Every structure is written in structure tokens, then in C-alpha cells.
Amino acid sequence: MTNGLYFTKDHEWIKVADGVGTVGISDFAQSQLGDVVFVELPEAGRVLKAGDAVAVVESVKAASDVYCPVSGEILSFNEELPNDPALINSDAESTAWFFTIKLSDPSELDGLMTPDAYKTFLEEHA
């Protein structure tokens, strides 16, 4: 697990710098999905609330929604992922980020888990 990330109970991660978050799914989530074969990402300009479904990941096992960990406006998406969805399996918590979002309420980060808290969450719920 990468330090500096915040995690949701739905296994998304977000890393924030200067009010902009970069979002992806956790290494645990990708390992549960298996081989990822398709990803649908949000368009820039979309305004979301924390918890809104924002993307779809499809693997050989199942399709899963990805939820927005914070409220804000989508600024950009990772253009490499639709062409190489397997990148999620090889580097879920770094280069396989899904989108960037301008946070409308940075205090929402207080409701997310640190890497240590997420590790404990996984031990208790996985």
C-alpha cells in the first residue's frame, strides 16, 4: 500500500495535492476482480458527489462500479487505461489511476481511511 493515499470502504483510493485528487482502485480490489479487460471512465467536467458511481471496471469475473471518494468536478481521466486495462492489475495504486477531481469539500477526506486504517479494515472484513 502506498503512503499518502486515502481509502474508501468500497476500495477506491485518492491522493490529493493542491486541492486536486487523483483516484483509482486499491490493489486489494484489483486482486479480487482478477484480470481486468475493460474500463469505462468519466468525462472531464462532470460534477459528482461523494459516493456517486463514476466509472466501471470489468474483469473476467465480474463488472463493478467505481465510486467517487469525494465531491467535486472531474478534471481529466487516464487516457492509457481504456487501451490497456490490464495496467490496473500491474500497478493499481500508481500509474493505473482513473481520473483527477477538483475537491469541492476537502473536509470529506476526514471520513476516509489512512493506509494503516485501510489495512486494518481489510483484515477485519476481507
Side-chain angles (χ1 to χ4, degrees), residues 2 11 18 25-27 32 39 43 45 49-50 53 55 71 76-77 84-85 98 101 105 114 118 122:
T2 309
H11 309 290
D18 298 326
I25 64 170
S26 72
D27 190 57
Q32 294 297 302
V39 62
E43 293 182 16
K49 292 183 179 176
S71 302
S76 64
F77 61 91
D84 187 12
F98 281 43
I101 184 167
D105 184 2
T114 64
Y118 182 65
L122 291 178

mmCIF file of all heavy atoms in Angstrom, residues 2 11 18 25-27 32 39 43 45 49-50 53 55 71 76-77 84-85 98 101 105 114 118 122:
data_model
loop_
_atom_site.group_PDB
_atom_site.id
_atom_site.type_symbol
_atom_site.label_atom_id
_atom_site.label_comp_id
_atom_site.label_asym_id
_atom_site.label_seq_id
_atom_site.Cartn_x
_atom_site.Cartn_y
_atom_site.Cartn_z
ATOM 1 N N THR A 2 0.448 2.239 -0.719
ATOM 2 C CA THR A 2 1.234 3.440 -0.882
ATOM 3 C C THR A 2 0.862 4.480 0.162
ATOM 4 O O THR A 2 -0.311 4.767 0.367
ATOM 5 C CB THR A 2 0.990 4.030 -2.286
ATOM 6 O OG1 THR A 2 1.182 2.993 -3.242
ATOM 7 C CG2 THR A 2 1.926 5.166 -2.562
ATOM 8 N N HIS A 11 -13.070 0.423 -1.613
ATOM 9 C CA HIS A 11 -11.747 0.093 -2.157
ATOM 10 C C HIS A 11 -11.249 1.030 -3.263
ATOM 11 O O HIS A 11 -10.459 0.631 -4.108
ATOM 12 C CB HIS A 11 -11.707 -1.375 -2.634
ATOM 13 C CG HIS A 11 -12.203 -2.316 -1.588
ATOM 14 N ND1 HIS A 11 -11.505 -2.595 -0.429
ATOM 15 C CD2 HIS A 11 -13.365 -3.015 -1.514
ATOM 16 C CE1 HIS A 11 -12.211 -3.442 0.309
ATOM 17 N NE2 HIS A 11 -13.335 -3.700 -0.318
ATOM 18 N N ASP A 18 -2.664 20.050 -3.704
ATOM 19 C CA ASP A 18 -3.160 21.372 -4.108
ATOM 20 C C ASP A 18 -4.649 21.365 -4.460
ATOM 21 O O ASP A 18 -5.055 21.992 -5.442
ATOM 22 C CB ASP A 18 -2.340 21.912 -5.284
ATOM 23 C CG ASP A 18 -0.876 22.106 -4.925
ATOM 24 O OD1 ASP A 18 -0.600 22.467 -3.763
ATOM 25 O OD2 ASP A 18 -0.023 21.891 -5.801
ATOM 26 N N ILE A 25 -8.460 2.435 -8.000
ATOM 27 C CA ILE A 25 -8.939 1.368 -7.108
ATOM 28 C C ILE A 25 -7.740 0.737 -6.424
ATOM 29 O O ILE A 25 -6.623 0.762 -6.940
ATOM 30 C CB ILE A 25 -9.783 0.307 -7.837
ATOM 31 C CG1 ILE A 25 -8.979 -0.451 -8.889
ATOM 32 C CG2 ILE A 25 -11.023 0.953 -8.441
ATOM 33 C CD1 ILE A 25 -9.693 -1.666 -9.466
ATOM 34 N N SER A 26 -7.998 0.141 -5.260
ATOM 35 C CA SER A 26 -6.898 -0.396 -4.458
ATOM 36 C C SER A 26 -6.329 -1.681 -5.050
ATOM 37 O O SER A 26 -6.972 -2.350 -5.873
ATOM 38 C CB SER A 26 -7.376 -0.665 -3.029
ATOM 39 O OG SER A 26 -8.232 -1.783 -3.020
ATOM 40 N N ASP A 27 -5.148 -2.008 -4.599
ATOM 41 C CA ASP A 27 -4.525 -3.258 -5.014
ATOM 42 C C ASP A 27 -5.383 -4.447 -4.585
ATOM 43 O O ASP A 27 -5.515 -5.424 -5.320
ATOM 44 C CB ASP A 27 -3.117 -3.353 -4.415
ATOM 45 C CG ASP A 27 -2.334 -4.498 -5.005
ATOM 46 O OD1 ASP A 27 -2.168 -4.533 -6.244
ATOM 47 O OD2 ASP A 27 -1.917 -5.381 -4.234
ATOM 48 N N GLN A 32 -9.135 -8.898 -6.213
ATOM 49 C CA GLN A 32 -10.432 -9.563 -6.111
ATOM 50 C C GLN A 32 -11.123 -9.674 -7.465
ATOM 51 O O GLN A 32 -11.842 -10.631 -7.730
ATOM 52 C CB GLN A 32 -11.337 -8.797 -5.131
ATOM 53 C CG GLN A 32 -10.846 -8.812 -3.700
ATOM 54 C CD GLN A 32 -10.802 -10.214 -3.118
ATOM 55 O OE1 GLN A 32 -11.802 -10.913 -3.061
ATOM 56 N NE2 GLN A 32 -9.617 -10.648 -2.719
ATOM 57 N N VAL A 39 -12.437 -0.938 -19.020
ATOM 58 C CA VAL A 39 -12.681 0.120 -18.041
ATOM 59 C C VAL A 39 -13.403 1.266 -18.740
ATOM 60 O O VAL A 39 -13.085 1.609 -19.884
ATOM 61 C CB VAL A 39 -11.374 0.592 -17.364
ATOM 62 C CG1 VAL A 39 -10.408 1.174 -18.370
ATOM 63 C CG2 VAL A 39 -11.667 1.583 -16.260
ATOM 64 N N GLU A 43 -16.119 11.528 -18.074
ATOM 65 C CA GLU A 43 -15.653 12.639 -18.897
ATOM 66 C C GLU A 43 -15.306 13.826 -18.005
ATOM 67 O O GLU A 43 -15.894 14.012 -16.944
ATOM 68 C CB GLU A 43 -16.743 13.048 -19.873
ATOM 69 C CG GLU A 43 -17.031 11.994 -20.922
ATOM 70 C CD GLU A 43 -18.080 12.452 -21.920
ATOM 71 O OE1 GLU A 43 -18.360 13.662 -21.995
ATOM 72 O OE2 GLU A 43 -18.601 11.585 -22.626
ATOM 73 N N GLY A 45 -15.312 17.520 -16.617
ATOM 74 C CA GLY A 45 -16.382 18.489 -16.468
ATOM 75 C C GLY A 45 -17.572 17.968 -15.683
ATOM 76 O O GLY A 45 -18.428 18.742 -15.261
ATOM 77 N N LYS A 49 -20.935 13.924 -6.466
ATOM 78 C CA LYS A 49 -20.941 13.932 -5.001
ATOM 79 C C LYS A 49 -20.207 12.688 -4.527
ATOM 80 O O LYS A 49 -20.162 11.674 -5.236
ATOM 81 C CB LYS A 49 -22.380 13.911 -4.480
ATOM 82 C CG LYS A 49 -23.137 15.179 -4.771
ATOM 83 C CD LYS A 49 -24.526 15.121 -4.180
ATOM 84 C CE LYS A 49 -25.256 16.434 -4.482
ATOM 85 N NZ LYS A 49 -26.629 16.407 -4.022
ATOM 86 N N ALA A 50 -19.675 12.749 -3.332
ATOM 87 C CA ALA A 50 -19.010 11.583 -2.754
ATOM 88 C C ALA A 50 -19.986 10.414 -2.737
ATOM 89 O O ALA A 50 -21.140 10.575 -2.338
ATOM 90 C CB ALA A 50 -18.535 11.893 -1.338
ATOM 91 N N ALA A 53 -21.583 6.735 -8.340
ATOM 92 C CA ALA A 53 -20.909 5.816 -9.266
ATOM 93 C C ALA A 53 -20.304 6.655 -10.384
ATOM 94 O O ALA A 53 -20.973 7.518 -10.959
ATOM 95 C CB ALA A 53 -21.892 4.805 -9.817
ATOM 96 N N ALA A 55 -17.343 5.276 -12.560
ATOM 97 C CA ALA A 55 -16.638 4.509 -13.581
ATOM 98 C C ALA A 55 -17.041 3.040 -13.445
ATOM 99 O O ALA A 55 -17.679 2.649 -12.464
ATOM 100 C CB ALA A 55 -15.130 4.660 -13.411
ATOM 101 N N SER A 71 -16.534 14.734 -3.225
ATOM 102 C CA SER A 71 -17.327 15.560 -4.126
ATOM 103 C C SER A 71 -16.418 16.500 -4.915
ATOM 104 O O SER A 71 -15.375 16.927 -4.404
ATOM 105 C CB SER A 71 -18.330 16.394 -3.327
ATOM 106 O OG SER A 71 -19.164 15.573 -2.564
ATOM 107 N N SER A 76 -9.809 15.433 -15.435
ATOM 108 C CA SER A 76 -9.205 14.660 -16.527
ATOM 109 C C SER A 76 -9.325 13.177 -16.211
ATOM 110 O O SER A 76 -9.682 12.807 -15.093
ATOM 111 C CB SER A 76 -7.730 15.030 -16.699
ATOM 112 O OG SER A 76 -6.990 14.669 -15.542
ATOM 113 N N PHE A 77 -9.046 12.337 -17.201
ATOM 114 C CA PHE A 77 -9.032 10.893 -16.964
ATOM 115 C C PHE A 77 -7.765 10.314 -17.585
ATOM 116 O O PHE A 77 -7.127 10.926 -18.440
ATOM 117 C CB PHE A 77 -10.288 10.218 -17.512
ATOM 118 C CG PHE A 77 -10.462 10.365 -18.996
ATOM 119 C CD1 PHE A 77 -9.952 9.413 -19.868
ATOM 120 C CD2 PHE A 77 -11.125 11.444 -19.523
ATOM 121 C CE1 PHE A 77 -10.103 9.536 -21.237
ATOM 122 C CE2 PHE A 77 -11.280 11.583 -20.899
ATOM 123 C CZ PHE A 77 -10.773 10.628 -21.752
ATOM 124 N N ASP A 84 -5.308 -0.046 -22.316
ATOM 125 C CA ASP A 84 -4.521 -1.044 -21.601
ATOM 126 C C ASP A 84 -5.099 -1.267 -20.199
ATOM 127 O O ASP A 84 -4.467 -0.953 -19.195
ATOM 128 C CB ASP A 84 -3.057 -0.589 -21.513
ATOM 129 C CG ASP A 84 -2.158 -1.652 -20.932
ATOM 130 O OD1 ASP A 84 -2.583 -2.818 -20.794
ATOM 131 O OD2 ASP A 84 -1.003 -1.305 -20.596
ATOM 132 N N PRO A 85 -6.322 -1.841 -20.110
ATOM 133 C CA PRO A 85 -6.952 -2.021 -18.796
ATOM 134 C C PRO A 85 -6.168 -2.949 -17.873
ATOM 135 O O PRO A 85 -6.319 -2.870 -16.650
ATOM 136 C CB PRO A 85 -8.338 -2.589 -19.129
ATOM 137 C CG PRO A 85 -8.262 -3.071 -20.518
ATOM 138 C CD PRO A 85 -7.180 -2.284 -21.198
ATOM 139 N N PHE A 98 -7.466 6.483 -12.317
ATOM 140 C CA PHE A 98 -8.635 6.569 -13.190
ATOM 141 C C PHE A 98 -8.913 7.998 -13.652
ATOM 142 O O PHE A 98 -9.121 8.245 -14.817
ATOM 143 C CB PHE A 98 -9.876 6.051 -12.464
ATOM 144 C CG PHE A 98 -9.983 4.560 -12.416
ATOM 145 C CD1 PHE A 98 -8.896 3.762 -12.142
ATOM 146 C CD2 PHE A 98 -11.192 3.943 -12.639
ATOM 147 C CE1 PHE A 98 -8.992 2.392 -12.086
ATOM 148 C CE2 PHE A 98 -11.311 2.565 -12.588
ATOM 149 C CZ PHE A 98 -10.214 1.793 -12.308
ATOM 150 N N ILE A 101 -9.835 14.898 -9.873
ATOM 151 C CA ILE A 101 -11.039 15.632 -9.471
ATOM 152 C C ILE A 101 -10.640 16.825 -8.619
ATOM 153 O O ILE A 101 -9.770 16.718 -7.757
ATOM 154 C CB ILE A 101 -12.007 14.694 -8.708
ATOM 155 C CG1 ILE A 101 -13.314 15.394 -8.368
ATOM 156 C CG2 ILE A 101 -11.346 14.091 -7.474
ATOM 157 C CD1 ILE A 101 -14.415 14.441 -7.890
ATOM 158 N N ASP A 105 -15.078 19.930 -1.351
ATOM 159 C CA ASP A 105 -15.124 19.955 0.112
ATOM 160 C C ASP A 105 -13.988 19.093 0.681
ATOM 161 O O ASP A 105 -14.181 17.908 0.963
ATOM 162 C CB ASP A 105 -16.480 19.431 0.603
ATOM 163 C CG ASP A 105 -16.618 19.514 2.110
ATOM 164 O OD1 ASP A 105 -15.681 20.007 2.788
ATOM 165 O OD2 ASP A 105 -17.655 19.078 2.619
ATOM 166 N N THR A 114 -6.756 6.100 6.323
ATOM 167 C CA THR A 114 -5.324 6.135 6.029
ATOM 168 C C THR A 114 -4.898 4.734 5.585
ATOM 169 O O THR A 114 -5.649 3.768 5.775
ATOM 170 C CB THR A 114 -4.526 6.505 7.288
ATOM 171 O OG1 THR A 114 -4.721 5.459 8.255
ATOM 172 C CG2 THR A 114 -4.958 7.852 7.863
ATOM 173 N N TYR A 118 -6.897 1.361 6.537
ATOM 174 C CA TYR A 118 -7.423 0.503 5.462
ATOM 175 C C TYR A 118 -6.900 -0.925 5.611
ATOM 176 O O TYR A 118 -7.652 -1.892 5.429
ATOM 177 C CB TYR A 118 -7.039 1.090 4.106
ATOM 178 C CG TYR A 118 -7.580 0.311 2.922
ATOM 179 C CD1 TYR A 118 -8.955 0.219 2.683
ATOM 180 C CD2 TYR A 118 -6.727 -0.331 2.035
ATOM 181 C CE1 TYR A 118 -9.448 -0.484 1.593
ATOM 182 C CE2 TYR A 118 -7.210 -1.040 0.957
ATOM 183 C CZ TYR A 118 -8.574 -1.107 0.734
ATOM 184 O OH TYR A 118 -9.058 -1.817 -0.358
ATOM 185 N N LEU A 122 -9.239 -4.178 6.017
ATOM 186 C CA LEU A 122 -9.148 -5.390 5.185
ATOM 187 C C LEU A 122 -9.009 -6.635 6.059
ATOM 188 O O LEU A 122 -9.617 -7.670 5.773
ATOM 189 C CB LEU A 122 -7.971 -5.301 4.214
ATOM 190 C CG LEU A 122 -8.107 -4.286 3.088
ATOM 191 C CD1 LEU A 122 -6.842 -4.284 2.229
ATOM 192 C CD2 LEU A 122 -9.341 -4.559 2.239
#
